[in-house]
Amino acid sequence: MLFSKRLKEVKPSATLAITSKAKSMLAGGEDVIVLAAGEPDFDTPELVKEAAVNAIKSGFTKYTPAGGTKALKEAICRKLSSENRLEYSTEEVVVSCGAKHSLYNIFQVLCDPGDEVLIIHPYWVSYPEMVRLAGGKPIFVKTESENGFKVRVEDIRSKLTDKTRAIVVNSPSNPSGVLYEEGELREIAGLCLDKEVTVVSDEIYEKIIFDGKEHVSPASFSEGAFRNTIVVNGVSKSFSMTGWRIGYLAGNKDLIRKIITLQSHSTSNPCSISQVAAECALSEDLGEEIERNRLEFQRRRDVLMDLLSGEERISPFKPGGAFYMFCDVSRCGIDSLTFSQRLLEEKKVAVIPGSPFGDDRYVRISFATDMKTIEEGVARIKEWISEL
């Protein structure tokens, strides 16, 4: 059997592979500590689950419009207006099967073979693979922990060519948890507007931000920035709805029409029941529950930082948001994949290697789990490192 050439350049998701192996070991009765999860450990809010049950009972189980129901789009528009100061019509919004699907669709619509997309290091593992699947070329913009893993405008400018179509900005980010300040985002948005480079703003972690800081969307800065930005979000992280698979994007009508056409021939519509659940999540007052979860994530971050502080061969980077800690393990003398594989096999602790995120010196530890698991996991990691 012959396979397409474009798949030869695409690598399997390392995050899913490690998590899958850890779950398999757990299912086999092994005492595995999972610090690899990319999803909140909190349950979906009860009101949201009830809305889904009612949708099933009422028979809302048929096809919907390919780009999402009008009711959900209206809820998304209200959310973007009240929380992000972004005024979109329902014709400027499309609902997809998760924010990952939204991003995939964007690159399929924006990229021709050879077009370039700037991706800031360290990056979520799927960004470059999505660009490659669209025939594009990912161009990586290097950052360093000494500069807070933040890209500078001059770094972006140095990578621009006549083939540059877009840049992906993820704040707070996966894997480092970097949160960009408003002034920093304004500089990036201004340069991209001037150079006619589309900003793809991945805002999936916008409600998981620490230390009194706030999320700002680059689309909110000016009319020009609004037109030049595609906003991507979803309900997975904020509302603990990863398995419901609902994401969305907002942009100009021409883009939306093309994405709906693409989606109509790939997935058809997102799940009807999940759309009702997402509409509830975005419409009901769940702020108290979301804030309680955010504070718990911040508490876990602080405990994890304290537990790792002073350890000579693992150096944590303090995240400003999301629920990951990017840790430098280069002084252990092994690459990140070997580190992660051996740690799982020898101490039954699952973390994610940094190489798929663009930095082989690091591993990603998730604190989207309970405190007891975090404490036991770190104890095993420290013990294992001392034996290397």
Side-chain angles (χ1 to χ4, degrees):
M1 183 180 292
L2 297 176
F3 299 101
S4 64
K5 293 180 180 178
R6 66 181 177 276
L7 260 297
K8 292 182 180 179
E9 299 297 321
V10 177
K11 303 168 186 175
S13 171
T15 58
L16 294 180
I18 291 284
T19 303
S20 177
K21 183 175 181 180
K23 288 181 177 179
S24 177
M25 293 169 67
L26 278 169
E30 298 187 58
D31 179 23
V32 178
I33 297 293
V34 180
L35 300 177
E39 60 182 349
D41 57 316
F42 307 116
D43 194 11
T44 302
E46 285 299 321
L47 278 175
V48 175
K49 292 192 288 185
E50 290 172 9
V53 171
N54 291 334
I56 295 171
K57 290 181 176 179
S58 68
F60 193 73
T61 56
K62 310 298 183 184
Y63 291 130
T64 75
T69 64
K70 183 179 180 182
L72 177 51
K73 287 185 176 184
E74 288 174 343
I76 291 168
C77 289
R78 290 194 299 270
K79 182 267 180 209
L80 291 171
S81 175
S82 62
E83 296 184 5
N84 306 105
R85 306 195 311 275
L86 301 174
E87 301 299 329
Y88 290 100
S89 69
T90 55
E91 289 76 27
E92 296 170 307
V93 171
V94 61
V95 183
S96 303
C97 304
K100 177 183 279 191
H101 186 209
S102 296
L103 289 159
Y104 178 88
N105 287 343
I106 288 169
F107 299 128
Q108 289 291 323
V109 168
L110 288 185
C111 294
D112 279 324
D115 284 343
E116 297 174 352
V117 176
L118 302 187
I119 297 174
I120 301 167
H121 154 279
Y123 45 80
W124 180 47
V125 295
S126 292
Y127 292 145
E129 310 307 333
M130 289 177 179
V131 172
R132 292 186 180 106
L133 282 168
K137 182 180 179 181
I139 302 297
F140 303 109
V141 188
K142 183 74 172 176
T143 67
E144 292 292 346
S145 61
E146 293 80 6
N147 297 321
F149 280 128
K150 289 185 177 181
V151 72
R152 300 172 299 179
V153 169
E154 53 264 38
D155 298 326
I156 297 173
R157 186 179 286 111
S158 70
K159 297 290 185 178
L160 295 175
T161 72
D162 58 0
K163 294 182 179 180
T164 307
R165 294 299 308 279
I167 182 172
V168 183
V169 177
N170 180 209
S171 176
S173 79
N174 175 9
S176 65
V178 165
L179 177 69
Y180 281 86
E181 302 286 348
E182 180 175 340
E184 295 165 333
L185 287 174
R186 281 186 180 276
E187 287 188 346
I188 294 171
L191 173 65
C192 292
L193 179 60
D194 182 56
K195 299 298 182 179
E196 298 182 338
V197 172
T198 301
V199 176
V200 179
S201 183
D202 183 352
E203 304 180 7
I204 193 68
Y205 294 99
E206 67 163 340
K207 292 186 182 295
I208 308 173
I209 293 177
F210 311 134
D211 307 318
K213 301 293 181 65
E214 295 183 355
H215 168 78
V216 180
S217 174
S220 67
F221 296 147
S222 68
E223 181 60 32
F226 180 82
R227 293 194 307 270
N228 196 52
T229 302
I230 305 171
V231 173
V232 179
N233 210 324
V235 296
S236 293
K237 313 299 185 180
S238 297
F239 298 96
S240 302
M241 295 177 66
T242 51
W244 298 81
R245 306 314 303 137
I246 294 293
Y248 57 86
L249 64 91
N252 69 69
K253 292 181 181 179
D254 289 340
L255 171 81
I256 297 303
R257 282 193 289 266
K258 293 182 186 302
I259 287 180
I260 290 175
T261 298
L262 170 65
Q263 192 160 290
S264 70
H265 291 294
S266 56
T267 58
S268 296
N269 61 274
C271 172
S272 59
I273 301 156
S274 294
Q275 289 187 73
V276 173
E279 179 192 344
C280 174
L282 293 173
S283 301
E284 295 293 335
D285 184 10
L286 299 174
E288 185 175 320
E289 186 168 350
I290 300 305
E291 175 63 6
R292 184 168 62 249
N293 293 348
R294 187 197 67 79
L295 287 171
E296 176 60 17
F297 279 132
Q298 181 170 304
R299 186 174 78 93
R300 294 174 183 177
R301 179 207 62 173
D302 293 342
V303 168
L304 183 55
M305 283 293 299
D306 287 343
L307 290 172
L308 292 173
S309 63
E311 179 59 51
E312 291 184 359
R313 291 198 282 180
I314 181 168
S315 178
F317 177 82
K318 187 176 183 179
F323 37 71
Y324 312 109
M325 194 164 290
F326 214 39
C327 299
D328 186 347
V329 295
S330 58
R331 288 186 291 276
C332 291
I334 52 178
D335 62 78
S336 65
L337 182 58
T338 302
F339 183 101
S340 302
Q341 290 175 335
R342 285 186 56 186
L343 180 62
L344 181 56
E345 292 166 0
E346 297 171 20
K347 282 295 180 182
K348 305 293 190 294
V349 179
V351 300
I352 303 296
S355 52
F357 299 108
D359 203 321
D360 204 27
R361 299 170 297 176
Y362 286 76
V363 297
R364 191 193 75 179
I365 297 177
S366 170
F367 48 92
T369 188
D370 63 272
M371 199 68 75
K372 181 180 178 181
T373 299
I374 291 171
E375 291 172 346
E376 173 63 20
V378 173
R380 292 190 193 183
I381 292 171
K382 284 184 172 182
E383 181 180 14
W384 181 73
I385 288 176
S386 71
E387 297 169 353
L388 286 176

